[in-house]
Structure formats: structure tokens, C-alpha cells
Amino acid sequence: MQIGMIGLGRMGGNMAKRLAAGGHQVVGYDMSPESGRDVDSLEALVAALDAPRVVWVMVPAGKPTDDTIDRLASLLDAGDMIVDGGNTRYVDDARHAKQLGELGIRFMDCGVSGGVWGIDRGYALMVGGSQEDFEFMRPIYETLKPDSEYGLVLAGPVGGGHFAKMVHNGVEYGMMQAFGEGFATMVRSELIADPAAVMTSWKDGSVVGSWLLDLLANAFKTDPTLESMPPVANESGEAKWMIEAALELGVPTPATAAALYARQTSRGGGDDTLRVVSTMRAQFGGHVTKA
Ligand SMILES: O=C(O)[C@H](O)[C@@H](O)[C@H](O)[C@H](O)COP(=O)(O)O
């Protein structure tokens, strides 16, 4: 198939290469001239594609995606297709589908997992949209997905793909936090000589073996104490959105929330809280807290 890829960063750039290697004709555009882009504007990208055009948007969620879709809405024609492959919040998908649908432009949302390894391993794709649009896009999805019977799902109508990816990332937060807590507990124990070796041994035979553990074990090879890594973790919003959605649905998500809170605390989000706690301990009990 012919496809326009907008956003040639770590994800979009590698996905464009995987699609090209799979025999698709890819026209790449990125704002950055250093990106290796094929065209230098959205107008040129649209002009380079045959109708019905297929455009994959792989830019940061929020305003960059909104702006890109706004501009594409004025450049594309009825019958063209936009797939939003970024980490867009699922509630935005309905808005985008309505905006584009009024112009006859088709829209799908696709949660993409796999990170920088996806170019070789393939990407897990969680798609939202109609069955008809899914079949239309299938050649692209089949090339991007892993060489496996798994890794591709039509999760539901528009919004379902990003909803599924949001939940996927909530699970990711909880799993990573659990591995972290296990490591930290062993680090403090006199009974464990080498926590990295213990966790690496879990790669085979253990019920907690996973690709996440494989990646951690890989990092342990060069840094078994993880001293090179600051004790700080960012978060991009998906766990927060999942907790909000789950609250609306009446589903408690304490593991996801704890993992999110740990990251927010690492960014200093709890500093003022603990100042208050320490202040009151000092006031009522004369307790002195040293940093
Ligand atoms: O499945 C994946 O490939 C990841 O979930 C990925 O999509 C994620 O968005 C980023 O790795 C950062 O996410 P956080 O900043 O929220 O950790």
C-alpha cells in the first residue's frame, strides 16, 4: 500500500522503515529537517499520495495531534483515511472522528506498543474503528505487527484502540512497579548477595518471566546495581487516564494508582505533603527529621 507517515521520531521513523521493508510505499514527513523526511510540508505529503490517501499520524498526544488532524482535515478529501497511532487519550478520538466524518474523511485510532525494539520485533497494535476500515488498513497492520498470531486486535469502535492501549499502559505501570519493589526489597536484605542475579534467574522457569523482565536483565548486565539510573520516573498520562476511566466505571485500580503515585512522588509531587507531615510530627512530638 501507499502511506504517508507524519512524525518520524523514535516510533514513527522506525515504523516507516518497517513498512518500507515490508514492501509499502512510504512518504515520510516530520517538522524537523534532520528527520530524513521525504517531503517538507503536509501539503507536499498530501500531494505525493494517490487517492484514497492513507495517512498515519505518529506525533505526541494532545495539541500536536490536534493541530495535525486540524490541518489534515483541510487538506484531505472525502474517502481518505487518517490513523492516529500516537498515545492520544481515547476521549479525543470521538472528537476527531466527528470532525473528520463531517468531511467524509475516515478515521481509526491505533494504540502502538513496542518502543524502539518494534522495528525488528514488530509492534503490538490495538485498533479502534469499523470492521470495514480495519480490513482496508489490514495490509499496513499486518506489516507492522509481530510475525505471530498475536499482536493485532480490533479492540472496538473508534476510541477502543486508545482505550485498550491506555489499559495496556496501566498494566505496564503496575508490572514495572512490582519488579522495582522486589528489587528494592532484596537490595536492603543481608540474605541476598546479588539482587540482579536473582531477578535475572527469573528469566526462565519463573511465573514472572516477561519481556519487561528480559529488558531489566539486559540492563543488569552492565549496571547490576542500577546506580547509573536516577531514582526518578516520568509519566505521560496513560495510567492517570486509566484510573479516571476505571473510577467512572466503578473499578478499583490500587496497583495502577500506587505505581502512578510512586512516579509522581519521584518528581517531587509529594514534597509539600511530607513537609506538612514532618512539621506536625515536630510540633506534637518534637521529632526532628533530617533529610
Ligand atoms: O507500550 C509501549 O511501547 C509503551 O507503553 C509506550 O507507548 C509508552 O507510552 C512510553 O514508553 C512512555 O510511557 P510513560 O511515560 O507513561 O511511562
Tab-separated table of all heavy atoms in Angstrom, residues 10-11 14-15 17-19 56 110-126 140-148 150-152 165 168 211:
chain	number	residue	atom	x	y	z
A	10	ARG	N	11.295	8.440	17.200
A	10	ARG	CA	11.707	7.068	17.552
A	10	ARG	C	10.666	6.052	17.118
A	10	ARG	O	10.999	4.947	16.677
A	10	ARG	CB	11.901	6.947	19.068
A	10	ARG	CG	13.222	7.489	19.572
A	10	ARG	CD	13.512	6.962	20.972
A	10	ARG	NE	12.465	7.307	21.912
A	10	ARG	CZ	12.460	8.416	22.651
A	10	ARG	NH1	13.458	9.256	22.564
A	10	ARG	NH2	11.475	8.660	23.495
A	11	MET	N	9.388	6.382	17.235
A	11	MET	CA	8.346	5.430	16.854
A	11	MET	C	8.034	5.536	15.358
A	11	MET	O	8.177	4.566	14.622
A	11	MET	CB	7.080	5.666	17.681
A	11	MET	CG	7.225	5.344	19.155
A	11	MET	SD	7.619	3.619	19.485
A	11	MET	CE	6.047	2.827	19.086
A	14	ASN	N	10.874	4.508	12.860
A	14	ASN	CA	11.092	3.061	12.774
A	14	ASN	C	9.916	2.350	12.107
A	14	ASN	O	10.098	1.390	11.352
A	14	ASN	CB	11.302	2.480	14.179
A	14	ASN	CG	12.716	2.725	14.690
A	14	ASN	OD1	13.591	3.173	13.948
A	14	ASN	ND2	12.940	2.451	15.958
A	15	MET	N	8.719	2.838	12.376
A	15	MET	CA	7.547	2.210	11.746
A	15	MET	C	7.580	2.435	10.232
A	15	MET	O	7.251	1.531	9.452
A	15	MET	CB	6.263	2.781	12.356
A	15	MET	CG	6.056	2.316	13.794
A	15	MET	SD	4.804	3.262	14.671
A	15	MET	CE	3.315	2.641	13.906
A	17	LYS	N	10.237	2.700	8.460
A	17	LYS	CA	11.255	1.774	7.903
A	17	LYS	C	10.699	0.353	7.822
A	17	LYS	O	10.935	-0.360	6.838
A	17	LYS	CB	12.505	1.789	8.798
A	17	LYS	CG	13.332	3.051	8.641
A	17	LYS	CD	14.624	2.957	9.429
A	17	LYS	CE	15.292	4.325	9.463
A	17	LYS	NZ	15.721	4.753	10.773
A	18	ARG	N	9.974	-0.069	8.865
A	18	ARG	CA	9.419	-1.433	8.836
A	18	ARG	C	8.401	-1.577	7.697
A	18	ARG	O	8.355	-2.609	7.019
A	18	ARG	CB	8.774	-1.765	10.189
A	18	ARG	CG	8.335	-3.218	10.311
A	18	ARG	CD	7.888	-3.572	11.726
A	18	ARG	NE	7.263	-4.888	11.768
A	18	ARG	CZ	7.888	-6.039	12.025
A	18	ARG	NH1	9.181	-6.038	12.289
A	18	ARG	NH2	7.245	-7.191	12.030
A	19	LEU	N	7.603	-0.522	7.483
A	19	LEU	CA	6.616	-0.567	6.397
A	19	LEU	C	7.306	-0.603	5.036
A	19	LEU	O	6.910	-1.369	4.148
A	19	LEU	CB	5.687	0.650	6.492
A	19	LEU	CG	4.657	0.611	7.623
A	19	LEU	CD1	3.977	1.960	7.785
A	19	LEU	CD2	3.617	-0.495	7.369
A	56	TRP	N	-0.834	8.172	8.315
A	56	TRP	CA	-0.652	7.684	9.688
A	56	TRP	C	-0.036	8.831	10.486
A	56	TRP	O	1.038	9.331	10.141
A	56	TRP	CB	0.266	6.463	9.695
A	56	TRP	CG	0.339	5.755	11.014
A	56	TRP	CD1	0.893	6.218	12.164
A	56	TRP	CD2	-0.167	4.439	11.317
A	56	TRP	NE1	0.761	5.291	13.178
A	56	TRP	CE2	0.114	4.186	12.677
A	56	TRP	CE3	-0.839	3.459	10.563
A	56	TRP	CZ2	-0.233	2.987	13.297
A	56	TRP	CZ3	-1.177	2.271	11.195
A	56	TRP	CH2	-0.873	2.042	12.550
A	110	CYS	N	-5.197	3.872	16.763
A	110	CYS	CA	-4.402	2.648	16.912
A	110	CYS	C	-3.369	2.840	18.019
A	110	CYS	O	-2.430	3.622	17.861
A	110	CYS	CB	-3.714	2.315	15.581
A	110	CYS	SG	-2.734	0.806	15.658
A	111	GLY	N	-3.557	2.156	19.133
A	111	GLY	CA	-2.532	2.146	20.175
A	111	GLY	C	-1.383	1.266	19.721
A	111	GLY	O	-1.610	0.167	19.197
A	112	VAL	N	-0.182	1.761	19.876
A	112	VAL	CA	1.010	1.042	19.390
A	112	VAL	C	1.955	0.797	20.558
A	112	VAL	O	2.374	1.732	21.226
A	112	VAL	CB	1.738	1.868	18.308
A	112	VAL	CG1	2.984	1.120	17.807
A	112	VAL	CG2	0.810	2.195	17.152
A	113	SER	N	2.296	-0.449	20.784
A	113	SER	CA	3.287	-0.785	21.809
A	113	SER	C	4.493	-1.437	21.144
A	113	SER	O	4.367	-2.057	20.097
A	113	SER	CB	2.693	-1.754	22.836
A	113	SER	OG	3.663	-2.076	23.811
A	114	GLY	N	5.628	-1.280	21.789
A	114	GLY	CA	6.823	-1.964	21.261
A	114	GLY	C	8.082	-1.145	21.378
A	114	GLY	O	9.187	-1.686	21.311
A	115	GLY	N	7.913	0.167	21.539
A	115	GLY	CA	9.077	1.032	21.741
A	115	GLY	C	10.088	0.913	20.616
A	115	GLY	O	9.748	0.583	19.473
A	116	VAL	N	11.350	1.176	20.966
A	116	VAL	CA	12.402	1.234	19.943
A	116	VAL	C	12.711	-0.150	19.364
A	116	VAL	O	13.370	-0.260	18.337
A	116	VAL	CB	13.705	1.857	20.510
A	116	VAL	CG1	13.496	3.336	20.815
A	116	VAL	CG2	14.183	1.112	21.748
A	117	TRP	N	12.235	-1.212	20.015
A	117	TRP	CA	12.510	-2.573	19.538
A	117	TRP	C	11.529	-3.001	18.463
A	117	TRP	O	11.726	-4.021	17.798
A	117	TRP	CB	12.424	-3.556	20.711
A	117	TRP	CG	13.350	-3.242	21.837
A	117	TRP	CD1	13.215	-2.239	22.766
A	117	TRP	CD2	14.572	-3.912	22.160
A	117	TRP	NE1	14.270	-2.264	23.638
A	117	TRP	CE2	15.111	-3.268	23.300
A	117	TRP	CE3	15.256	-5.000	21.608
A	117	TRP	CZ2	16.300	-3.677	23.882
A	117	TRP	CZ3	16.443	-5.401	22.200
A	117	TRP	CH2	16.959	-4.747	23.317
A	118	GLY	N	10.462	-2.248	18.291
A	118	GLY	CA	9.389	-2.664	17.394
A	118	GLY	C	9.819	-2.807	15.952
A	118	GLY	O	9.254	-3.611	15.212
A	119	ILE	N	10.825	-2.050	15.559
A	119	ILE	CA	11.263	-2.127	14.155
A	119	ILE	C	11.649	-3.558	13.785
A	119	ILE	O	11.393	-4.013	12.665
A	119	ILE	CB	12.410	-1.126	13.868
A	119	ILE	CG1	12.720	-1.100	12.374
A	119	ILE	CG2	13.634	-1.416	14.708
A	119	ILE	CD1	13.663	0.008	11.958
A	120	ASP	N	12.224	-4.297	14.733
A	120	ASP	CA	12.604	-5.689	14.471
A	120	ASP	C	11.587	-6.689	15.010
A	120	ASP	O	11.282	-7.685	14.353
A	120	ASP	CB	13.972	-5.988	15.103
A	120	ASP	CG	15.063	-5.124	14.496
A	120	ASP	OD1	15.039	-4.932	13.262
A	120	ASP	OD2	15.924	-4.624	15.253
A	121	ARG	N	11.067	-6.433	16.223
A	121	ARG	CA	10.149	-7.396	16.865
A	121	ARG	C	8.725	-7.268	16.353
A	121	ARG	O	7.900	-8.152	16.550
A	121	ARG	CB	10.091	-7.167	18.382
A	121	ARG	CG	11.329	-7.489	19.142
A	121	ARG	CD	11.134	-7.144	20.629
A	121	ARG	NE	10.505	-8.200	21.391
A	121	ARG	CZ	9.421	-8.056	22.139
A	121	ARG	NH1	8.812	-6.894	22.213
A	121	ARG	NH2	8.925	-9.064	22.819
A	122	GLY	N	8.424	-6.117	15.734
A	122	GLY	CA	7.046	-5.825	15.366
A	122	GLY	C	6.367	-5.085	16.507
A	122	GLY	O	6.848	-5.066	17.644
A	123	TYR	N	5.257	-4.446	16.188
A	123	TYR	CA	4.519	-3.631	17.159
A	123	TYR	C	3.202	-4.302	17.511
A	123	TYR	O	2.527	-4.827	16.621
A	123	TYR	CB	4.219	-2.253	16.560
A	123	TYR	CG	5.453	-1.487	16.151
A	123	TYR	CD1	6.005	-1.632	14.872
A	123	TYR	CD2	6.089	-0.630	17.048
A	123	TYR	CE1	7.143	-0.936	14.499
A	123	TYR	CE2	7.235	0.067	16.680
A	123	TYR	CZ	7.754	-0.085	15.403
A	123	TYR	OH	8.886	0.597	15.046
A	124	ALA	N	2.850	-4.243	18.788
A	124	ALA	CA	1.505	-4.682	19.191
A	124	ALA	C	0.538	-3.551	18.861
A	124	ALA	O	0.754	-2.410	19.262
A	124	ALA	CB	1.481	-4.993	20.679
A	125	LEU	N	-0.496	-3.866	18.108
A	125	LEU	CA	-1.433	-2.847	17.624
A	125	LEU	C	-2.826	-3.096	18.190
A	125	LEU	O	-3.366	-4.204	18.068
A	125	LEU	CB	-1.507	-2.882	16.093
A	125	LEU	CG	-0.176	-2.755	15.345
A	125	LEU	CD1	-0.411	-2.921	13.846
A	125	LEU	CD2	0.499	-1.418	15.633
A	126	MET	N	-3.382	-2.063	18.814
A	126	MET	CA	-4.736	-2.124	19.374
A	126	MET	C	-5.553	-1.077	18.619
A	126	MET	O	-5.327	0.127	18.777
A	126	MET	CB	-4.681	-1.797	20.866
A	126	MET	CG	-3.949	-2.852	21.693
A	126	MET	SD	-3.042	-2.180	23.117
A	126	MET	CE	-1.365	-2.116	22.470
A	140	ILE	N	-1.345	-2.790	6.107
A	140	ILE	CA	-0.422	-1.976	6.917
A	140	ILE	C	-0.257	-2.592	8.302
A	140	ILE	O	0.864	-2.784	8.800
A	140	ILE	CB	-0.954	-0.522	7.032
A	140	ILE	CG1	-0.989	0.154	5.666
A	140	ILE	CG2	-0.137	0.285	8.048
A	140	ILE	CD1	0.355	0.369	5.011
A	141	TYR	N	-1.396	-2.945	8.922
A	141	TYR	CA	-1.331	-3.534	10.269
A	141	TYR	C	-0.542	-4.847	10.245
A	141	TYR	O	0.246	-5.120	11.155
A	141	TYR	CB	-2.750	-3.802	10.806
A	141	TYR	CG	-3.593	-2.560	11.008
A	141	TYR	CD1	-4.971	-2.573	10.744
A	141	TYR	CD2	-3.031	-1.375	11.478
A	141	TYR	CE1	-5.753	-1.453	10.951
A	141	TYR	CE2	-3.812	-0.240	11.674
A	141	TYR	CZ	-5.171	-0.279	11.400
A	141	TYR	OH	-5.942	0.840	11.598
A	142	GLU	N	-0.755	-5.648	9.207
A	142	GLU	CA	-0.079	-6.955	9.139
A	142	GLU	C	1.434	-6.783	9.036
A	142	GLU	O	2.197	-7.596	9.545
A	142	GLU	CB	-0.595	-7.777	7.937
A	142	GLU	CG	-2.040	-8.237	8.058
A	142	GLU	CD	-2.238	-9.390	9.053
A	142	GLU	OE1	-1.242	-10.027	9.428
A	142	GLU	OE2	-3.403	-9.607	9.451
A	143	THR	N	1.877	-5.731	8.389
A	143	THR	CA	3.324	-5.500	8.257
A	143	THR	C	3.915	-4.971	9.558
A	143	THR	O	5.040	-5.314	9.927
A	143	THR	CB	3.601	-4.498	7.113
A	143	THR	OG1	3.033	-5.019	5.917
A	143	THR	CG2	5.097	-4.271	6.923
A	144	LEU	N	3.155	-4.139	10.243
A	144	LEU	CA	3.676	-3.548	11.487
A	144	LEU	C	3.683	-4.538	12.646
A	144	LEU	O	4.543	-4.482	13.520
A	144	LEU	CB	2.839	-2.321	11.883
A	144	LEU	CG	3.013	-1.071	11.017
A	144	LEU	CD1	1.996	-0.006	11.428
A	144	LEU	CD2	4.435	-0.513	11.140
A	145	LYS	N	2.729	-5.454	12.673
A	145	LYS	CA	2.583	-6.343	13.826
A	145	LYS	C	3.718	-7.376	13.871
A	145	LYS	O	4.416	-7.574	12.868
A	145	LYS	CB	1.217	-7.048	13.784
A	145	LYS	CG	1.133	-8.150	12.743
A	145	LYS	CD	-0.256	-8.729	12.643
A	145	LYS	CE	-0.452	-10.003	13.403
A	145	LYS	NZ	0.448	-11.109	13.071
A	146	PRO	N	3.894	-8.030	15.015
A	146	PRO	CA	4.912	-9.090	15.090
A	146	PRO	C	4.568	-10.244	14.153
A	146	PRO	O	3.414	-10.429	13.771
A	146	PRO	CB	4.839	-9.535	16.557
A	146	PRO	CG	4.130	-8.453	17.285
A	146	PRO	CD	3.202	-7.815	16.303
A	147	ASP	N	5.565	-11.027	13.834
A	147	ASP	CA	5.379	-12.209	12.998
A	147	ASP	C	4.846	-13.324	13.897
A	147	ASP	O	5.585	-14.213	14.321
A	147	ASP	CB	6.724	-12.597	12.355
A	147	ASP	CG	6.548	-13.759	11.404
A	147	ASP	OD1	5.400	-14.054	11.031
A	147	ASP	OD2	7.575	-14.388	11.054
A	148	SER	N	3.574	-13.233	14.212
A	148	SER	CA	2.965	-14.097	15.228
A	148	SER	C	1.469	-14.069	14.999
A	148	SER	O	0.949	-13.195	14.307
A	148	SER	CB	3.301	-13.527	16.618
A	148	SER	OG	2.287	-13.790	17.549
A	150	TYR	N	-0.431	-13.314	17.287
A	150	TYR	CA	-0.890	-12.278	18.211
A	150	TYR	C	-0.331	-10.916	17.798
A	150	TYR	O	0.428	-10.791	16.861
A	150	TYR	CB	-0.441	-12.615	19.641
A	150	TYR	CG	-0.875	-13.982	20.077
A	150	TYR	CD1	0.057	-15.002	20.282
A	150	TYR	CD2	-2.227	-14.280	20.254
A	150	TYR	CE1	-0.338	-16.272	20.662
A	150	TYR	CE2	-2.630	-15.546	20.629
A	150	TYR	CZ	-1.688	-16.546	20.834
A	150	TYR	OH	-2.092	-17.792	21.200
A	151	GLY	N	-0.709	-9.881	18.562
A	151	GLY	CA	-0.117	-8.564	18.331
A	151	GLY	C	-1.003	-7.627	17.537
A	151	GLY	O	-0.606	-6.494	17.271
A	152	LEU	N	-2.195	-8.076	17.126
A	152	LEU	CA	-3.109	-7.200	16.388
A	152	LEU	C	-4.532	-7.504	16.831
A	152	LEU	O	-4.952	-8.657	16.839
A	152	LEU	CB	-2.972	-7.449	14.879
A	152	LEU	CG	-3.985	-6.717	13.981
A	152	LEU	CD1	-3.843	-5.197	14.103
A	152	LEU	CD2	-3.812	-7.146	12.517
A	165	LYS	N	-4.999	0.647	24.647
A	165	LYS	CA	-3.587	0.991	24.886
A	165	LYS	C	-3.415	1.663	26.248
A	165	LYS	O	-2.415	1.443	26.947
A	165	LYS	CB	-3.075	1.904	23.764
A	165	LYS	CG	-1.631	2.383	23.937
A	165	LYS	CD	-0.653	1.223	23.896
A	165	LYS	CE	0.830	1.555	23.883
A	165	LYS	NZ	1.345	2.725	24.441
A	168	HIS	N	-3.440	-1.098	28.638
A	168	HIS	CA	-2.141	-1.775	28.476
A	168	HIS	C	-1.065	-1.048	29.271
A	168	HIS	O	-0.259	-1.644	29.980
A	168	HIS	CB	-1.804	-1.805	26.984
A	168	HIS	CG	-0.404	-2.205	26.640
A	168	HIS	ND1	0.676	-1.347	26.753
A	168	HIS	CD2	0.110	-3.374	26.180
A	168	HIS	CE1	1.769	-1.958	26.373
A	168	HIS	NE2	1.458	-3.190	26.025
A	211	TRP	N	8.818	-9.997	28.940
A	211	TRP	CA	9.725	-9.157	28.146
A	211	TRP	C	10.241	-7.993	28.991
A	211	TRP	O	11.387	-7.592	28.874
A	211	TRP	CB	9.037	-8.649	26.875
A	211	TRP	CG	9.982	-7.998	25.931
A	211	TRP	CD1	11.125	-8.540	25.395
A	211	TRP	CD2	9.905	-6.665	25.419
A	211	TRP	NE1	11.749	-7.627	24.583
A	211	TRP	CE2	11.014	-6.465	24.563
A	211	TRP	CE3	9.000	-5.618	25.567
A	211	TRP	CZ2	11.253	-5.272	23.886
A	211	TRP	CZ3	9.225	-4.427	24.885
A	211	TRP	CH2	10.345	-4.263	24.061
